Amino acid sequence: MSKKRDPILVTRPLLPDLNDLMVRLQDVWDSKWLSNGGHQHNTLEQRIRERLDVPNVSLFSNGTIALLVAIQSLRLQGEVITTPFTFPATTHVLWWNGVQPVFADIDPETMTLDPASVERVITHRTSGILGVHVYGIPCDVAALGDIADRHGLRVIYDAAHAFEAEIDGVGIGNFGDISMFSFHPTKLFHSGEGGCLTYRDPNLKARIDLLKNFGIRNEFEVIMPGINGKMNELQAALGHLVLEIVDEERARRLRIRQQYERELGDLPGLVIPKVGPGVKDSGQYFVIRIKASEFGADRDQVYDALRSQEIFARKYFFPLTSDYTCYRSLSSARPELLPNAHMVAGEVLCLPYFGELTEDNVSEICDVIRSLARPAAV
Ligand code: T4K
């Protein structure tokens, strides 16, 4: 009897050889230096700066704290315009900074902030725009930059999904005032937990690095109300090793993407979003959109059918953050103001996407999905 396969999860972390990690950890042990800007941290920061092709980087213990510090470092106040189609962290960091999130709608194709919708909700209290390059699909950085210039606003990008994405050959971390990348284990590049900020203004480096270390200038001076956001040496040691195998993993994922596209691309009502011309795909997610009336089943039915076969796709990002109990009383959270975001959140499904998936795994996933499509399309 053939052995039952393991459940298929949406992702699995990229793991380097454990022996290589032991070698790095031996160095950490010998140094007796575990955090607060050690050798592993400092050298990883330099390597990430080169890989992302950005002028300045600060590493963090996770992406959420990094984003929290980004908002604090620019002293954003009042209201910040943001997308509801995201992970909770994006909206929560505004609240933790005492800033009111103001939701704008998304573009129905790119699923990122719609610049026209952003412009409509600007008030005299608006201090910034917080966009998300969701699934590594870039925001309309030119239009958002233009709006920011005309209204004197700062722009922060949540680039949690966009490690090494590029727009026309330019690293995506170069747009806006600050960008945040997440290095959580569910991310293509990770350091166990971790994240970073990238920014063009070199003057921000000192402030950001103080903010992530309690605002401590020296033994006797604390000059601002900072927090503890430091990446430690164990995280950084792992990050060094994962960085070496990211390219191979991305190549494996892009092959898996091609197989998905071959096996699902002809189904009416099943849309496979793409990053757009001139954009380098980060390889973070493989997402489909189910247009129920054309496809013959809705997204939830597809999710449930996969689940019944122990295939755990995820509905990233449903529900919208504007629908959370803590935000839904905000006037900008009214569903009638966010029609595209509601439509998209009801259609998206992230399929399993990581290099260890076999061709048979992908075919099995596609067969389940095809079995739900309207008979004429099969
Ligand atoms: N902004 C955006 C747009 C984000 O998407 C995120 C994080 C952030 C900000 C915040 O960045 P961080 O502070 O996290 O650096 C996961 C991740 O925890 C989260 O980092 C990520 N976005 C989000 C999209 O996905 P959950 O709640 O879905 O995680 P969980 O535990 O359900 O895991 C997802 C799958 O990964 C499971 O099928 C199991 C698998 N997995 C997970 C872990 C942690 C593993 O195989 N191994 C593991 O170690 O949030």
Side-chain angles (χ1 to χ4, degrees):
M1 211 171 72
S2 66
K3 186 178 161 288
K4 191 172 171 286
R5 64 150 171 75
D6 291 333
I8 301 177
L9 305 181
V10 70
T11 192
R12 300 316 325 258
L14 182 57
L15 293 175
D17 189 325
L18 191 54
N19 294 315
D20 293 342
L21 182 60
M22 294 314 283
V23 173
R24 283 228 170 228
L25 290 184
Q26 186 65 57
D27 290 345
V28 175
W29 259 232
D30 292 345
S31 74
K32 298 194 191 318
W33 196 268
L34 299 188
S35 189
N36 295 14
H39 177 70
Q40 301 291 328
H41 167 280
N42 295 345
T43 48
L44 183 65
E45 194 165 88
Q46 173 66 18
R47 286 180 78 190
I48 296 286
R49 198 174 70 77
E50 286 159 14
R51 289 288 293 245
L52 295 181
D53 197 18
V54 289
N56 303 289
V57 170
S58 296
L59 297 183
F60 279 83
S61 50
N62 63 64
T64 304
I65 290 281
L67 204 51
L68 192 79
V69 166
I71 292 157
Q72 185 67 211
S73 72
L74 295 180
R75 301 182 176 88
L76 297 188
Q77 292 180 334
E79 298 173 353
V80 167
I81 300 168
T82 191
T83 169
F85 185 61
T86 187
F87 192 66
T90 319
T91 312
H92 289 345
V93 293
L94 295 173
W95 190 90
W96 275 71
N97 272 288
V99 169
Q100 176 157 322
V102 173
F103 298 108
D105 205 4
I106 59 173
D107 178 282
E109 296 298 317
T110 66
M111 302 176 281
T112 61
L113 267 182
D114 169 20
S117 178
V118 168
E119 194 137 26
R120 276 197 294 275
V121 294
I122 293 174
T123 71
H124 67 282
R125 298 190 67 224
T126 308
S127 60
I129 300 169
L130 173 53
V132 179
H133 302 307
V134 70
Y135 315 122
I137 299 171
C139 293
D140 187 341
V141 292
L144 293 176
D146 177 58
I147 292 172
D149 288 346
R150 282 189 284 108
H151 294 271
L153 307 177
R154 311 305 292 262
V155 181
I156 298 179
Y157 287 116
D158 178 334
H161 309 160
F163 190 76
E164 292 187 308
E166 292 173 2
I167 305 175
D168 294 328
V170 178
I172 201 162
N174 289 288
F175 297 93
D177 293 288
I178 304 182
S179 298
M180 178 282 281
F181 295 81
S182 165
F183 304 157
H184 184 269
T186 53
K187 302 298 181 292
L188 173 63
F189 169 71
H190 72 89
S191 53
E193 287 263 6
C196 78
L197 296 180
T198 66
Y199 38 94
R200 276 169 306 167
D201 180 359
N203 298 321
L204 270 178
K205 175 84 179 154
R207 181 165 167 76
I208 287 174
D209 287 352
L210 276 165
L211 280 171
K212 75 174 185 187
N213 187 28
F214 312 99
I216 294 176
R217 175 186 274 163
N218 60 43
E219 235 177 294
F220 306 108
E221 280 181 293
V222 174
I223 61 167
M224 58 183 81
I227 199 162
N228 184 357
K230 289 167 278 124
M231 176 182 281
N232 68 46
E233 290 291 276
L234 282 71
Q235 291 174 292
L238 177 57
H240 271 291
L241 295 173
V242 175
L243 202 52
E244 279 157 28
I245 52 178
V246 152
D247 288 342
E248 291 158 45
E249 171 67 8
R250 187 180 285 112
R252 281 192 291 271
R253 290 184 181 199
L254 294 180
R255 280 198 293 279
I256 291 169
R257 163 175 278 277
Q258 285 163 4
Q259 189 185 348
Y260 273 132
E261 286 175 350
R262 270 197 315 277
E263 298 196 23
L264 298 174
D266 62 332
L267 293 176
L270 188 151
V271 178
I272 302 175
K274 301 220 166 68
V275 288
V279 175
K280 179 183 158 197
D281 189 346
S282 66
Q284 176 60 49
Y285 287 108
F286 182 81
V287 63
I288 58 172
R289 290 174 63 176
I290 303 291
K291 306 272 180 191
S293 56
E294 280 173 75
F295 184 72
D298 65 21
R299 186 274 313 275
D300 291 350
Q301 288 170 305
V302 177
Y303 171 88
D304 290 341
L306 289 168
R307 208 175 164 85
S308 72
Q309 303 302 311
E310 300 214 309
I311 297 166
F312 296 97
R314 294 293 289 263
K315 301 179 195 178
Y316 297 131
F317 291 98
F318 172 86
L320 299 174
T321 68
S322 53
D323 273 350
Y324 298 170
T325 47
C326 45
Y327 301 121
R328 67 181 174 214
S329 61
L330 294 173
S331 59
S332 65
R334 295 202 308 277
E336 64 270 27
L337 300 176
L338 307 167
N340 294 334
H342 279 274
M343 175 185 71
V344 170
E347 294 176 349
V348 285
L349 193 61
C350 286
L351 299 184
Y353 196 46
F354 53 96
E356 277 174 50
L357 282 177
T358 64
E359 271 191 54
D360 285 351
N361 292 150
V362 176
S363 288
E364 187 186 342
I365 294 165
C366 294
D367 287 348
V368 174
I369 297 172
R370 291 187 77 89
S371 72
L372 294 170
R374 264 190 219 299
V378 180

